[in-house]
Amino acid sequence: MKKFAALLCTLVMLLSLAACGSPGTATPDDSAKEPTGDVDAAYPSKAVTVICPYGAGSNQDLTCRTIATLLEEKFGVPFVVNNVEGADGVTGEIELFNAPNDGYTIGATSASPTCITPYMQPTEVPYRWDSFEHIGMFLPFSHCFYAKAGAPFNNLDELCDWIKTQDNVTVCFAGYVNLVNMMKVFEIAGVDTSKITFVPTNSKEVATSVASGICQFTCHAKSTAKPMVLSGDLKLIAPLGDQRYEDVDPDCPSAVEQGYDVYS
């Protein structure tokens, strides 16, 4: 039986089978190979380890634990979550990549370490997207631009015009997917990104980093923005795509409504 992986992607949570390649080597044709271990016809017959490459209490961790509970109910064996955080999810991905190919190690991760980082850092990351055979998807994700309450801009045009007047701007990002989304907006608006300092952080800290003034704005998941927008510490600039966030700020137009055809 092949290894399982659960991949938390930008738009969906994705359940997948992991690679059959040798640990430490990314081989694009791995998914086509047969597993080297014995097939367990009664799978699962023992506890399954669920690797979550993000810290305890993060959005990904909470989702992973919810799914693990449902799997326990369905299969009648423990699904034990193991948080292996670091390097924006890559550390946990490598742990999964190197795990025995017997079906008893699965994972829950995101699009950045799975779909983007291997290609932006090909010599540092030993796996690729097709090192994992994907078997399912769940949990839609939506991303948005948000800033500290009181920031001198209220929409994407004002944000981009404001950046153009600054000598240096500090922006937080958690995951390459969000960085790519920001770069798409900046490209449309003709923003010179050389004046922007991009500060990597994680999903647990990105909203508080903006609210505290460490960074001036960000693009990240709706779930990180919503509580602090509702509390008045942050303000919504634009939900990506063509839908407004009726439960966060129904008066804030979507990115498409604002003239930016960018989807998360």
Side-chain angles (χ1 to χ4, degrees):
M1 178 171 291
K2 296 181 180 180
K3 277 190 302 183
F4 289 98
L7 301 176
L8 171 63
C9 283
T10 311
L11 301 179
V12 289
M13 256 196 143
L14 171 64
L15 204 63
S16 65
L17 290 168
C20 300
S22 300
T25 304
T27 53
D29 294 328
D30 280 344
S31 60
K33 298 177 182 178
E34 291 300 319
T36 56
D38 294 333
V39 175
D40 185 352
Y43 176 86
S45 60
K46 60 182 181 180
V48 177
T49 297
V50 184
I51 294 175
C52 177
Y54 301 94
S58 64
N59 293 327
Q60 296 90 339
D61 172 67
L62 297 176
T63 302
C64 181
R65 292 179 186 278
T66 300
I67 297 301
T69 299
L70 295 173
L71 291 173
E72 286 184 356
E73 294 173 356
K74 179 175 179 62
F75 293 106
V77 300
F79 281 73
V80 182
V81 176
N82 179 21
N83 296 93
V84 185
E85 60 181 309
D88 191 33
V90 172
T91 301
E93 284 281 286
I94 293 174
E95 181 89 0
L96 179 62
F97 180 70
N98 289 332
N101 185 29
D102 59 5
Y104 289 94
T105 302
I106 73 174
T109 185
S110 66
S112 288
T114 305
C115 310
I116 300 178
T117 306
Y119 303 96
M120 296 189 73
Q121 298 176 289
T123 60
E124 291 87 359
V125 178
Y127 60 84
R128 298 292 181 266
W129 162 261
D130 51 9
S131 295
F132 304 93
E133 184 180 338
H134 313 289
I135 61 172
M137 298 183 290
F138 50 95
L139 187 60
F141 258 66
S142 178
H143 293 76
C144 58
F145 277 75
Y146 58 86
K148 184 177 181 178
F153 42 81
N154 297 294
N155 55 53
L156 291 176
D157 279 345
E158 291 180 3
L159 168 62
C160 292
D161 287 344
W162 175 80
I163 293 173
K164 294 174 183 178
T165 67
Q166 304 300 302
D167 295 325
N168 184 62
V169 176
T170 303
V171 181
C172 296
F173 76 96
Y176 279 125
V177 166
N178 298 293
L179 179 60
V180 169
N181 287 331
M182 285 191 280
M183 296 300 285
K184 289 179 181 177
V185 168
F186 298 153
E187 180 181 12
I188 292 171
V191 171
D192 177 8
T193 57
S194 66
K195 62 171 61 179
I196 301 176
T197 300
F198 294 96
V199 179
T201 183
N202 59 62
S203 62
K204 292 191 295 183
E205 299 176 357
V206 61
T208 55
S209 294
V210 175
S212 65
I214 294 174
C215 301
Q216 289 150 318
F217 66 91
T218 193
C219 176
H220 201 256
K222 171 187 176 182
S223 57
T224 63
K226 181 177 178 178
M228 300 188 78
V229 171
L230 295 179
S231 70
D233 296 300
L234 297 174
K235 65 178 174 181
L236 188 63
I237 302 300
L240 296 184
D242 57 5
Q243 300 296 313
R244 296 190 182 195
Y245 291 166
E246 299 294 337
D247 57 337
V248 180
D249 183 356
D251 295 324
C252 180
S254 69
V256 171
E257 289 180 285
Q258 296 184 37
Y260 294 80
D261 192 18
V262 180
Y263 290 77
S264 61

